């Protein structure tokens, strides 16, 4: 582009000067000298540009020049303000786009139920002594009064000899032997209902464990105490005598029994309670579908004072196939039905019902 390209042509400039020189009103009587002076002032106003900006050539009188408008260079502060404004605008646009996308992206909603505290890993401990290895594992905590625990015990024979053992591995139809004991001498705060009957005769037959063999058993144990307690598992080792009977012997694990220290709360969490509904001929328990219910009962029945009585029960925890259990059979008309129904990790639902056949 040529400099001063916006200068008006000479003809248009002369016409403009001519218009200015015209006398639109007859009331103005100006001498030629005054008209020349006014024209000169108008020309000077129109030509108020830097002399350095004008081309180095002469112009005819009356020619009007249009000088380009020069912008003052932006200061450093102005450039910084413009940069910040641009960044803010970009961020605002980004937020708007992101918000719009989130409206159309499926969201994953997580719903949590009532908490009972941090759930720890299952309590497990293992010991080795005298060529034998023993492990004890129980249901994960936290623990509370009346809770049923699943107890898993294993014994491995690392010796080269056959050994005989009894509780809790022995063949025992009386299922109350859990293989787990408390070290503290505490009075139970929660009582299981008394079944009122005895275990069958000839229970507790010993069991053989060969070299490299592992025995395992699963039992159920109810926390009847609160506070800090210590749980220990022990096994009865036996040996045959000259009469082919088995007598107790010193255990290779004596003084090395597996031990667990737990804390038992005195309150039962609301979401770990089971509710039993007693009918005339059955009991139904409200429990989650995924739990494995266990049932303990005892029945005593009579026809009245002096008529005698009969008693029976299941001698230990028995798995239930459904949440409803029928009343045990009894030949007499007055029935006392003691029951306890539980599941690992839940509090026992127990009671005693007086029924008439």
């Amino acid at each position: 582009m040529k400099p001063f390209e916006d200068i008006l042509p000479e003809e248009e400039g002369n016409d403009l000067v001519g218009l200015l020189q015209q006398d639109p009103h007859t009331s103005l009587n100006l001498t030629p000298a005054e008209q020349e002076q006014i024209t000169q002032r108008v020309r000077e106003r129109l030509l108020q540009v830097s002399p350095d900006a004008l081309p180095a050539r002469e112009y005819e009188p009356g020619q009007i020049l249009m000088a380009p408008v020069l912008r003052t260079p932006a200061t450093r502060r102005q450039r910084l303000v413009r940069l910040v404004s641009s960044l803010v605008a970009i961020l605002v646009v980004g937020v708007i786009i992101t918000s719009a996308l989130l409206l159309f992206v499926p969201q994953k909603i997580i719903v949590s139920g009532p908490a009972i505290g941090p759930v720890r890993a299952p309590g497990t401990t293992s010991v080795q002594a005298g060529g034998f290895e023993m492990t004890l594992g129980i249901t994960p905590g936290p623990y509370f009064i009346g809770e049923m625990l699943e107890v898993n015990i294993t014994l491995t024979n690392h010796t080269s000899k056959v050994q005989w053992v009894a509780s809790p591995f022995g063949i025992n139809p009386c299922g109350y032997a859990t293989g787990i004991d408390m070290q503290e001498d505490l009075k139970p705060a929660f009582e299981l209902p008394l079944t009122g009957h005895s275990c069958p005769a000839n229970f507790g037959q010993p069991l053989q464990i060969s070299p490299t063999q592992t025995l395992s058993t699963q039992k159920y144990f109810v926390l009847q105490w609160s506070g800090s307690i210590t749980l220990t598992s022990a096994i009865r080792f036996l040996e045959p005598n000259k009469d082919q009977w088995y007598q107790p012997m010193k255990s290779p694990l004596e003084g090395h029994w597996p031990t667990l220290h737990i804390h038992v709360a005195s309150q039962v969490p609301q979401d770990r309670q089971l509710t039993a509904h007693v009918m005339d001929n059955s009991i139904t328990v409200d429990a989650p579908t995924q739990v494995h219910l266990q049932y303990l009962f005892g029945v005593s029945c009579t026809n009245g004072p002096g008529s005698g009585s009969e008693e029976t029960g299941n001698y230990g925890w028995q798995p239930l196939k459904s949440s409803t259990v029928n009343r045990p059979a009894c030949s007499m008309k007055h029935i006392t039905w003691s029951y306890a129904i539980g599941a690992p990790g839940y509090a026992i639902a127990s009671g005693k019902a007086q029924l008439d056949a």
Side-chain angles (χ1 to χ4, degrees), residues 97-112:
I97 295 175
T98 303
S99 302
L101 290 175
L102 289 176
L103 292 176
F104 299 97
V105 175
Q107 300 297 309
K108 184 177 181 180
I109 300 176
I110 301 176
V111 180
S112 60

Side-chain angles (χ1 to χ4, degrees), residues 28 31 63-64 274-275 279 286 347:
L28 295 176
T31 63
Q63 184 175 359
I64 299 177
L274 303 178
T275 303
M279 309 298 181
D286 294 333

Side-chain angles (χ1 to χ4, degrees), residues 33-213:
E34 292 174 340
Q35 293 179 4
E36 181 65 24
Q37 184 178 5
I38 293 174
T39 302
Q40 182 64 26
R41 290 179 179 177
V42 172
R43 185 181 291 110
E44 291 176 355
R45 285 292 185 87
L46 294 174
L47 297 177
Q48 283 182 352
V49 297
S50 174
D52 297 336
L54 297 177
R57 63 185 181 88
E58 295 182 357
Y59 294 89
E60 295 296 333
Q63 184 175 359
I64 299 177
L65 303 179
M66 299 296 292
V69 178
L70 300 179
R71 294 183 178 180
T72 304
T75 64
R76 182 177 181 182
R77 178 184 179 86
Q78 291 173 334
R79 290 196 300 270
L80 181 59
V81 171
R82 292 174 185 172
L83 176 61
V84 173
S85 300
S86 300
L87 292 176
V88 171
I90 294 173
L91 291 175
V92 171
V93 173
V95 170
I96 294 174
I97 295 175
T98 303
S99 302
L101 290 175
L102 289 176
L103 292 176
F104 299 97
V105 175
Q107 300 297 309
K108 184 177 181 180
I109 300 176
I110 301 176
V111 180
S112 60
I116 64 170
V119 177
R120 298 182 294 273
T124 303
T125 183
S126 178
V127 295
Q128 293 190 44
F132 287 86
E133 180 180 1
M134 183 178 177
T135 62
L136 168 65
I138 62 175
T139 304
Y143 304 103
F144 46 88
I145 191 74
E147 179 183 2
M148 171 180 276
L149 302 183
E150 181 181 286
V151 179
N152 293 281
I153 303 172
T154 65
L155 178 67
T156 302
N157 184 358
H158 294 296
T159 70
S160 58
K161 297 181 180 180
V162 175
Q163 182 64 55
W164 297 89
V165 294
S167 175
F169 297 107
I171 301 173
N172 190 349
C174 187
Y176 304 127
T178 61
I180 191 169
D181 299 302
M182 278 192 46
Q183 287 189 352
E184 293 85 354
D185 184 15
L186 300 175
K187 181 180 180 180
F190 170 76
E191 294 282 358
L192 284 173
L194 297 177
T195 56
H197 63 281
S198 301
C199 293
N202 300 322
F203 71 92
Q205 296 296 318
L207 191 66
Q208 176 181 294
I209 178 171
S210 302
T212 71
Q213 184 182 2

